[in-house]
Structure formats: structure tokens, C-alpha cells
Amino acid sequence: MPVNPNFLERLVLLRLNKGPAPMLDLFGAASFESVSLALDLGLFELVADAETPLTASTLADRIDAHPDGIAMLCNFLVTEDYLSTSEDGYRLTKMTETWLLADSETNMGPWLTFWNELVFPFWERELETAIREGEPSQSIYEWFDEEPERWEIAQDGFRATASLLVDDVVDAVSIPDGSTQLIDIGGGHGLYTVELCRRHSDIVATIFDVQGAIEAINDEIPAELAERVSVQTGDYHTDDLGDGFDLALLFNVIHAHDPAENTALFERVADSLAPNGRIIVLDQWEGSGRTPVSRAGLRFVALTYLTTLGATVYAHEEVMSWLREAGFTDVSRQSVGPLSGLALIEATKQ
Ligand SMILES: C[S@@+](CC[C@H](N)C(=O)[O-])C[C@H]1O[C@@H](n2cnc3c(N)ncnc32)[C@H](O)[C@@H]1O
């Protein structure tokens, strides 16, 4: 967690501007590097599995590292609130237990690893190009294609964020009576589809994604759903999506494309739907950041989409108008969960 300045520090650094507040970003960058390394070394899991606090020298033995190095890493992680320390050694804080342990239902470790191993290296290479030219020299998905392991890291990261939202999102999705055929376009890890199928025993689903993504997730569909969830590889801009679907999910896909591409994609989705079929679009929406953290989060993803995909976040009104242009009716917005600030856009094929 970024260091939380005390009252005096907030006054000097943030209110009075009498000290260099950008230093906090420097600490944040070092903190991200240190947490990423700790995840990579399995340090948090070692501390979690121990019955008593672990000293730096015990940790160093188990990790095969230098005791001074581990002590310095852990001491920094204490200041960033990932570890606590006492005379007996280091323990995990509640924050680390909740958000960074593999057996936690809210484990965000794979999301941090995705950023550390893929997105920030890509930023480093492409940020300036994207700012100067308006797009990167290649999309991050094209870069993933060069190394299949990148797709695995990416899908693990996407799954980690989806696992935080899946219950609220699936609660918000309305399933009209008689809807049985679902396509999850750009569905990747398939978590949303899996949860919808668990809750609605008559749904049969297809996860449609590019080959690299499908190869990365293929064996992760739960065995009990193997008969009802299939995968299909292809490019949703050009390849046949199939037809007769009652529901089409388009979750976290449209931020990768420009308005004309999105309208064309909506038209293709309309063609794949049965009469009265529904499209459900989930994404981050321009203008939805109402607090400092959510505003920063939105600007952060917008800059990321520019750097990695040459695209952006869109206002929901704009997306609703593309849906109408593509021939959809009953276009509506539906909030997701009480606190997330997320919303779905749903529409019906005429
Ligand atoms: C940000 S991920 C979203 C995954 C999932 N829908 C979710 O919301 O967590 C975007 C997905 O779209 C897929 N994708 C991107 N371009 C595609 C294309 N042209 N055709 C098919 N899938 C594509 C990616 O492989 C990736 O799995």
C-alpha cells in the first residue's frame, strides 16, 4: 500500500507544498517492485504458513536468499504495511492476508504479477510512442502472441479482477425467460460464463476468444460444466461468431477499439443473436470516477488502454448510441453492486 503520511507530513507535503510530494510516487514505485518480488519469491506464503513469526534469517534460508537482503526487503514492506514486525520476526498484515495469498478468494496477486511482468514492461516500451503517435507500435495482444506464457499470465490477471466482481455482475445481469444459448465474446478466462451457468442450469455457453487466450484457459473450465461450456477460437472482428444466441456478453472488450470498430462489432453481435436476443456490455465508463481514488483509477486505465491498445474508455451515452445505430432497442444501463461504481449496458435485438 502506498505509504500513508501522518498529519504533519500531509500538511507539509500535500497542503503547504513545502516538501517534495513526488517522493511518495518514488516510494510507491519501489513498493510495487518489492511486492512483486515478494510474490515471485513466495515470501508471503512462507510467512502465512509458519505457525510463529519468521525472522529474516529463517526466511533467507527457506528462500535461498541473503539474510541482509531479505531483512531490507521485509523492513521496507513493513513501512508499506504488507508485513508487521516484532522481536520474534515478521507476520503478514490483514491487508496481505486478504488480497495477496493464493488461497484467499480475493487474491489479487496474479493481477499485480500481470502488471509487473507484462503491462509495465510494455508501458516502458510504448508509452512515449502512444503519447506522440496516439497508439503503440503494436497492440499488447499482438505482443502476447509472440510468447504463449504471456497469455497465461494475462488471463490469470483478468481472472483475479473478475473474481472480485463476478457475484455483483452476475446479480445485475437479467436473463429473460427461455434464454439458453449464451456467447461470451472476448470471454477469456470464462469466469462470468461459469458463474452464469452455475446459477442457471439451462444455459449452454460458448466462450469466444483468440487462440492464444483459449489455449491459456482451455483446461480451466470446471469439470461439472464441461458439457455446457465450450470454447471457440477466432477474431471477433472477422470470424463467424455463430448464430441463434439468446445472450451475448461483451465484457471489457470495447475499450480496445475505436467507435467505428465497436459499432461494427455490435452489428456482428446483432447478426449472431436470435430475435429478442440480448447484448450485455460491461466496461469502465468515462465520467464514472466520482472520488479521488476512482477518478485516478479511471485515468490510469484510460492511459493504459492508450498505451497498450491505442484506445480508451468511453462514456456510456456514446456506447448506448452505437448500440442503437447497430439496430438494438431497449438500451438501458444497470448498476453493478452497491459500491463498485460499475454499470452494465443491456440492449435487445429488434
Ligand atoms: C480485458 S480481457 C476481458 C476478459 C473477460 N471478458 C473479462 O471481462 O474479464 C479482453 C479479452 O478480449 C479478447 N480479445 C481481444 N481482441 C480479440 C479479438 N479480435 N477477437 C477475439 N477476442 C479478442 C482478449 O484475448 C481477452 O481475453
Side-chain angles (χ1 to χ4, degrees):
M1 187 175 77
V3 65
N4 190 5
N6 71 12
F7 172 76
L8 193 61
E9 289 167 329
R10 276 202 301 278
L11 186 70
V12 171
L13 294 172
L14 307 178
R15 303 263 326 249
L16 300 177
N17 193 27
K18 293 287 185 199
M23 292 297 285
L24 297 179
D25 278 340
L26 197 57
F27 299 165
S31 177
F32 180 72
E33 291 285 335
S34 302
V35 172
S36 298
L37 179 65
L39 288 169
D40 203 28
L41 295 174
L43 188 146
F44 297 138
E45 301 293 334
L46 274 175
V47 177
D49 290 345
E51 282 170 11
T52 54
L54 293 184
T55 62
S57 63
T58 308
L59 274 166
D61 271 353
R62 300 207 185 154
I63 288 172
D64 192 20
H66 196 290
D68 293 348
I70 288 295
M72 291 200 198
L73 179 68
C74 290
N75 290 342
F76 182 50
L77 290 172
V78 168
T79 67
E80 304 293 300
D81 209 30
Y82 288 94
L83 296 174
S84 65
T85 184
S86 65
E87 280 177 7
D88 302 333
Y90 299 99
R91 286 179 190 277
L92 301 185
T93 59
K94 289 280 174 225
M95 177 180 77
T96 302
E97 283 176 1
T98 306
W99 303 107
L100 294 180
L101 288 186
D103 65 1
S104 163
E105 280 182 5
T106 52
N107 176 23
M108 294 300 287
W111 185 238
L112 297 195
T113 299
F114 168 61
W115 278 84
N116 183 48
E117 295 195 13
L118 301 180
V119 188
F120 280 138
F122 197 82
W123 264 56
E124 216 160 302
R125 209 187 72 180
E126 298 289 344
L127 178 63
E128 185 176 344
T129 305
I131 301 307
R132 288 186 184 280
E133 314 283 337
E135 59 184 0
S137 64
Q138 67 175 159
S139 84
I140 199 165
Y141 294 137
E142 289 164 342
W143 184 65
F144 291 169
D145 278 336
E146 293 170 11
E147 183 57 68
E149 200 205 346
R150 291 179 186 151
W151 276 112
E152 286 170 28
I153 296 169
Q155 292 300 338
D156 287 348
F158 297 148
R159 185 185 296 103
T161 51
S163 68
L164 296 188
L165 301 171
V166 62
D167 283 332
D168 284 342
V169 169
V170 171
D171 283 348
V173 168
S174 44
I175 309 272
D177 285 348
S179 300
T180 58
Q181 307 295 316
L182 178 148
I183 181 165
D184 188 355
I185 299 169
H189 51 82
L191 201 64
Y192 294 108
T193 284
V194 163
E195 187 55 28
L196 278 164
C197 286
R198 282 200 172 122
R199 294 199 198 178
H200 300 273
S201 58
D202 46 355
I203 288 185
V204 174
T206 304
I207 298 169
F208 186 103
D209 211 304
V210 294
Q211 189 170 350
I214 293 295
E215 280 169 5
I217 62 111
N218 210 1
D219 53 354
E220 292 187 27
I221 305 298
E224 77 271 17
L225 293 176
E227 306 258 294
R228 291 166 51 209
V229 179
S230 58
V231 294
Q232 191 181 331
T233 59
D235 180 335
Y236 50 53
H237 294 303
T238 50
D239 290 322
D240 186 20
L241 297 173
D243 55 25
F245 295 106
D246 302 305
L247 290 167
L249 311 184
L250 219 57
F251 285 5
N252 297 302
V253 159
I254 60 167
H255 61 237
H257 307 299
D258 66 29
E261 288 169 336
N262 280 327
T263 307
L265 181 55
F266 290 162
E267 284 167 359
R268 304 195 88 234
V269 175
D271 288 343
S272 77
L273 286 169
N276 297 318
R278 306 271 294 158
I279 182 173
I280 305 168
V281 183
L282 175 72
D283 224 291
Q284 294 84 44
W285 308 114
E286 179 57 46
S288 62
R290 302 231 161 81
T291 61
V293 172
S294 64
R295 258 195 305 279
L298 197 68
R299 297 276 72 89
F300 174 66
V301 291
L303 184 56
T304 298
Y305 296 153
L306 178 80
T307 307
T308 56
L309 300 161
T312 190
V313 289
Y314 295 105
H316 59 85
E317 295 89 346
E318 201 176 356
V319 175
M320 291 164 106
S321 76
W322 302 334
L323 284 164
R324 291 190 190 98
E325 260 175 66
F328 286 94
T329 58
D330 296 335
V331 185
S332 64
R333 192 159 63 111
Q334 176 81 31
S335 291
V336 171
L339 296 175
S340 70
L342 277 181
L344 298 169
I345 296 178
E346 299 185 283
T348 306
K349 176 183 173 169
Q350 266 180 335

